[in-house]
Amino acid sequence: MDLVPALEEPLKQPLKSVLGPATAKVMAEHLGLHTVGDLLHHYPRRYEERGQLTHLADLPMDEHVTVVAQVADARLHTFASAKAPRGKGQRLEVTITDGSGRLQLVFFGNGVHKPHKELLPGTRAMFAGKVSVFNRRLQLAHPAYELLRGDGEEAVETWAGALIPIYPATAKLESWKIGKAVQTVLPSAQEALDPLPPALREGRGLLPLPEALLKIHRPHTKADIADARARLKWDEAFVLQVALARRRHADTLLPAVPRVPGPDGILAAFDDRLPFTLTEGQQKVSREIFADLATAHPMHRLLQGEVGSGKTMVALRAMLAVVDAGGQAAMLAPTEVLAQQHHRSVTEMMGELAEGGMLGGAEHATKIVLLTGSMGMAARRQALLDLATGEAGIVIGTHALIEDKVQFHDLGLVVVDEQHRFGVEQRDALRGKGKQPPHLLVMTATPIPRTVAMTVFGDLETSVLDQLPAGRSPIASHVVPAADKPHFLARAWERVREEVAAGHQAYVVCPRIGDEEDDPKKAGKKKDPEGEADKRPPLAVLEVADQLSRGPLQGLKVEVLHGRMHPDDKDAVMRRFAAGETDVLVATTVIEVGVNVPNATAMVIMDADRFGVSQLHQLRGRVGRGSAPGLCLLVTEMPEASAARQRLAAVASTLDGFELSRIDLEQRREGDVLGQAQSGARSSLRVLAVIEDEEVIAEARQEAAAVVAADPELERLPGLRTALDALLDEEREQYLEKG
């Protein structure tokens, strides 16, 4: 798909370069293009038509743009300046138009001579530069340009009615220079090896790869572009799905110990003690998990569930089933706070069943140990001993579990909490602790649209918990526009006081800590044209806590919590908050995952526009965990018309995490979503759009599974093998990284 042997020729070579050495260097450094194949897969972002001009009215600020327009007029001015005191300074102002708007170009000094001769009224050209504002008018200063004119028959032919490809470019390399470089290497496209099996390609009426490459870079009609994109989407979806299908296939060949719970063991005893009945969803997902655990090859299952949908209960029952069958279970949590909390809640849920080997422990009891990096030596030694002897049936810990020293007696199940924080390497290191590969259950509270699950978690079977357990309360969410309506913010703090007066507690979340290491100058650097709010650094926990204690929340017990505190201090703060001794906890997103305080009913998120949609949804899930309804206030200074405000309005309007994850995905670029979904992959998705191309991905998954089942080593498909090697560094195929 990306680097095929005939196209592996480097763009930059010591003796002869395919392109000029300077161009090749910029391509490598700024665009990540190193070979002829890379360049052929650098597709145009869009196309301009000769007869149709771009809308100058819609130009974005502070971005590098390429426009096709006509010169309306050009004027040369002279002026006096420090460098040219005698009025010899020269400034060329050129106005270009496209019928929808006008744009001013300016050239200074010695740079005026060439454009003065070439940019005559009526001339059409492509212009590239950074859009800025001068005297309240849009302008491009010293833009690069390429005249659109025919010097002889062939050039006229090329431009007449042609679609002009506009490439993703950089300030150092304009779109048309990339276009010229592509034209230089385009003949090599004939030698591209086709990764799609001929039967699949012909059955779906897709173009051969060389023809698709030719049509995407040099289309004659819009139909050419559509055909080429349809073909190249299939390449991306199919090669990625084949990699995932091979991983699934390899996993089914691994042996595992079937783990079947006995009829009257610890699982039955635990179920008998439960003070409530499991939801239908929990029962269904548990049946899927128990069926997997009973097979002789390892379970690989992703458990998706909204915050508070009862995933921990499902995971605990799976762990008890394995303990029943004589094995051990390990739960891997992303932070110490969360590991400690899981340990507490599991021990509480199990009661005397968690007191194995102790006086007063129940007949089927087992021991549950905690293992984290900051434990004292004596406690750590005891925990390691309990794991090695099999005394402990369940261990809950952080990545300290992965260390070499940790030995298990018989590891049967690994549960990974909050999957997106662990790479596959870490999962596999823990799985390697079993005598045979243990079963694997991955839990995530971040709802993932079906196609992303198929793409990013394609090697896992998926279970979804979409009902909330009885007794969970609804959460009301509102946007608080602090800049437009300051009195709304004052009311927000009154609401917090009201909740506290009613015997409840509140969270206030800020994007930043506010200590010296957390430098506001750095934080404030990212300019966002959306609004003035970005002129200041994001609000910080330490400052906000101080202001609230002395101002609107004076007299309430306010504490802070953030990631750079000592683990013992963090735990002490959380314990006080959980015990109801603290009224308001001002924190960073360290509370995003797993902190469970049923008495906390209100959350105020400061600078909410600085958080992603999914993250806001996760944070909001921390309130309304008890019987009282939850309240979440999203404070922002962004103007009403901004995209950031629309995003916040979407979060406030629905509690459906799957709906929000779709919105999130549509608003961000695919690359962010897949993130490191293909670490080890030299190419991220280029033409495939995860939401729009749901059908292509689903069909590619089916085709890939069939191809791999018939020919796991792809011996009959050399083109596909080559494309896979290009997508994945070979030794890392097993580590198709999950974001």
Side-chain angles (χ1 to χ4, degrees):
M1 179 172 83
D2 194 15
L3 300 174
V4 287
L7 309 186
E8 276 182 1
E9 196 178 346
L11 295 170
K12 184 169 176 251
Q13 298 176 28
L15 298 173
K16 68 175 188 62
S17 286
V18 175
L19 308 169
T23 306
K25 185 169 184 259
V26 173
M27 283 190 171
E29 287 175 8
H30 293 273
L31 296 168
L33 307 177
H34 302 277
T35 66
V36 170
D38 286 347
L39 183 51
L40 285 175
H41 287 287
H42 187 70
Y43 308 130
R45 179 182 285 156
R46 58 190 172 84
Y47 301 84
E48 290 295 354
E49 292 177 70
R50 282 227 1 104
Q52 173 204 346
L53 296 162
T54 355
H55 289 298
L56 291 179
D58 307 332
L59 288 179
M61 281 294 300
D62 277 340
E63 275 192 29
H64 285 278
V65 297
T66 304
V67 296
V68 177
Q70 190 160 2
V71 176
D73 69 29
R75 294 181 187 175
L76 189 61
H77 301 276
T78 53
F79 59 91
S81 71
K83 283 186 182 169
R86 297 207 192 104
K88 294 270 179 70
Q90 290 190 307
R91 179 175 78 246
L92 176 66
E93 291 179 2
V94 178
T95 306
I96 58 173
T97 177
D98 66 352
S100 75
R102 296 166 88 80
L103 178 65
Q104 183 145 13
L105 316 177
V106 288
F107 302 87
F108 292 102
N110 295 334
V112 304
H113 305 306
K114 187 166 175 270
H116 189 216
K117 283 204 297 260
E118 294 182 333
L119 298 179
L120 304 171
T123 309
R124 296 187 68 239
M126 283 199 282
F127 301 92
K130 194 173 182 182
V131 183
S132 56
V133 170
F134 182 70
N135 278 347
R136 292 199 293 206
R137 285 168 64 197
L138 291 181
Q139 71 166 28
L140 297 182
H142 280 288
Y145 62 88
E146 178 87 341
L147 301 179
L148 299 182
R149 61 179 175 211
D151 303 331
E153 282 307 298
E154 197 179 322
V156 172
E157 192 77 2
T158 314
W159 290 114
L163 292 154
I164 304 163
I166 305 293
Y167 289 89
T170 78
K172 297 250 168 42
L173 200 62
E174 294 86 16
S175 167
W176 57 83
K177 287 189 180 160
I178 296 170
K180 282 182 175 169
V182 170
Q183 297 299 338
T184 310
V185 301
L186 207 48
S188 307
Q190 294 306 326
E191 298 169 54
L193 267 180
D194 202 320
L196 294 190
L200 187 160
R201 196 185 75 231
E202 287 152 20
R204 294 186 176 274
L206 297 168
L207 299 179
L209 181 58
E211 195 182 329
L213 289 171
L214 212 58
K215 285 187 168 172
I216 197 123
H217 291 295
R218 199 186 273 173
H220 291 299
T221 62
K222 287 184 175 168
D224 282 354
I225 300 169
D227 292 347
R229 287 177 71 84
R231 161 62 216 245
L232 295 166
K233 277 180 181 183
W234 254 93
D235 277 18
E236 288 187 1
F238 181 71
V239 176
L240 186 57
Q241 291 301 337
V242 166
L244 292 162
R246 287 186 73 188
R247 181 166 172 134
R248 286 196 303 276
H249 179 78
D251 285 341
T252 61
L253 301 178
L254 293 171
V257 180
R259 309 282 178 173
V260 182
D264 50 7
I266 190 169
L267 177 62
F270 176 75
D271 284 350
D272 288 345
R273 308 172 37 105
L274 279 181
F276 52 83
T277 49
L278 298 174
T279 65
E280 265 175 59
Q282 285 175 315
Q283 290 175 25
K284 175 176 158 285
V285 169
S286 290
R287 284 195 295 275
E288 291 171 352
I289 291 170
F290 290 162
D292 283 356
L293 289 174
T295 61
H297 59 81
M299 162 172 85
H300 290 105
R301 194 164 278 282
L302 172 68
L303 174 55
Q304 291 193 63
E306 288 281 9
V307 171
S309 58
K311 293 185 300 297
T312 312
M313 173 60 71
V314 169
L316 176 56
R317 293 184 72 241
M319 293 196 286
L320 293 176
V322 169
V323 172
D324 243 359
Q328 290 170 296
M331 184 185 237
L332 194 57
T335 63
E336 294 213 354
V337 169
L338 195 51
Q340 288 161 344
Q341 181 160 326
H342 275 318
H343 183 253
R344 271 201 298 277
S345 61
V346 164
T347 313
E348 280 163 18
M349 279 196 274
M350 287 178 62
E352 65 208 30
L353 293 174
E355 294 169 0
M358 297 201 256
L359 230 61
E363 180 196 349
H364 297 292
T366 187
K367 196 166 183 181
I368 297 175
V369 297
L370 176 69
L371 191 63
T372 64
S374 65
M375 279 168 73
M377 276 310 293
R380 189 180 170 81
R381 230 186 325 245
Q382 184 59 51
L384 291 172
L385 186 66
D386 289 341
L387 287 179
T389 59
E391 181 82 13
I394 294 176
V395 58
I396 296 170
T398 55
H399 51 83
L401 281 175
I402 299 168
E403 289 175 12
D404 293 345
K405 295 190 204 94
V406 183
Q407 300 294 323
F408 288 85
H409 176 65
D410 178 15
L411 181 60
L413 171 68
V414 173
V415 178
V416 180
D417 190 16
E418 284 307 320
Q419 156 66 5
H420 59 285
R421 291 160 189 255
F422 286 104
V424 167
E425 285 94 337
Q426 290 162 305
R427 275 180 11 200
D428 283 359
L430 187 52
R431 277 168 49 187
K433 302 266 182 199
K435 294 188 177 71
Q436 283 191 317
H439 299 280
L440 174 70
L441 180 66
V442 167
M443 301 197 294
T444 176
T446 309
I448 305 159
R450 175 170 159 261
T451 42
V452 179
M454 283 193 294
T455 310
V456 182
F457 298 97
D459 62 331
L460 303 173
E461 299 301 323
T462 306
S463 296
V464 178
L465 275 177
D466 47 13
Q467 303 167 273
L468 287 185
R472 285 298 300 262
S473 305
I475 305 169
S477 305
H478 304 283
V479 178
V480 177
D484 312 353
K485 300 178 178 168
H487 60 286
F488 276 38
L489 183 58
R491 175 73 188 118
W493 300 126
E494 280 173 28
R495 283 292 289 112
V496 169
R497 295 192 82 97
E498 286 163 16
E499 289 297 312
V500 172
H504 300 303
Q505 293 159 279
Y507 296 101
V508 176
V509 182
C510 305
R512 207 162 56 82
I513 298 172
D515 55 13
E516 298 71 48
E517 289 181 54
D518 191 31
D519 185 358
K521 290 194 189 83
K522 288 182 195 148
K525 256 184 197 159
K526 274 170 76 181
K527 281 281 192 308
D528 184 335
E530 280 195 325
E532 295 301 300
D534 261 17
K535 292 259 164 59
R536 61 165 174 73
L539 291 170
V541 166
L542 302 176
E543 295 154 18
V544 168
D546 185 46
Q547 288 164 9
L548 291 176
S549 304
R550 288 186 296 167
L553 302 184
Q554 199 171 6
L556 301 186
K557 181 96 174 63
V558 177
E559 286 210 69
V560 299
L561 179 71
H562 59 74
R564 275 209 281 273
M565 288 164 64
H566 187 278
D568 293 349
D569 296 342
K570 276 196 276 200
D571 203 41
V573 169
M574 271 321 302
R575 277 173 189 277
R576 286 195 292 275
F577 190 63
E581 295 165 26
T582 308
D583 299 322
V584 179
L585 187 62
V586 183
T588 55
T589 55
V590 70
I591 60 153
E592 172 187 2
V593 177
V595 175
N596 187 20
V597 181
N599 191 46
T601 53
M603 176 178 285
V604 181
I605 303 179
M606 307 303 290
D607 280 345
D609 47 89
R610 309 235 180 194
F611 299 97
V613 169
S614 298
Q615 198 174 25
L616 290 169
H617 183 59
Q618 287 272 100
L619 285 167
R620 168 171 67 181
R622 299 288 124 221
V623 296
R625 297 177 79 88
S627 51
L631 171 69
C632 178
L633 301 175
L634 306 167
V635 179
T636 177
E637 293 186 3
M638 283 300 187
E640 196 165 357
S642 64
R645 274 284 283 278
Q646 288 162 6
R647 209 165 55 233
L648 295 179
V651 174
S653 68
T654 177
L655 290 172
D656 180 342
F658 286 92
E659 176 56 30
L660 285 174
S661 69
R662 272 192 95 88
I663 293 168
D664 198 14
L665 192 51
E666 280 159 8
Q667 290 189 343
R668 286 157 46 183
R669 292 199 310 284
E670 312 286 6
D672 303 347
V673 181
L674 296 180
Q676 301 144 304
Q678 303 128 285
S679 151
R682 295 198 192 112
S683 83
S684 196
L685 299 189
R686 292 185 171 133
V687 281
L688 193 69
V690 176
I691 290 280
E692 287 164 33
D693 298 321
E694 189 160 341
E695 273 177 40
V696 175
I697 292 170
E699 288 171 18
R701 184 179 165 102
Q702 280 180 322
E703 294 272 12
V707 165
V708 171
D711 180 8
E713 293 305 311
L714 310 177
E715 281 162 6
R716 297 191 291 281
L717 297 164
L720 180 54
R721 287 185 69 156
T722 306
L724 261 188
D725 294 345
L727 177 70
L728 307 166
D729 297 341
E730 231 180 22
E731 73 280 5
R732 299 189 47 149
E733 176 159 359
Q734 54 187 322
Y735 291 140
L736 198 63
E737 175 79 50
K738 303 301 176 294

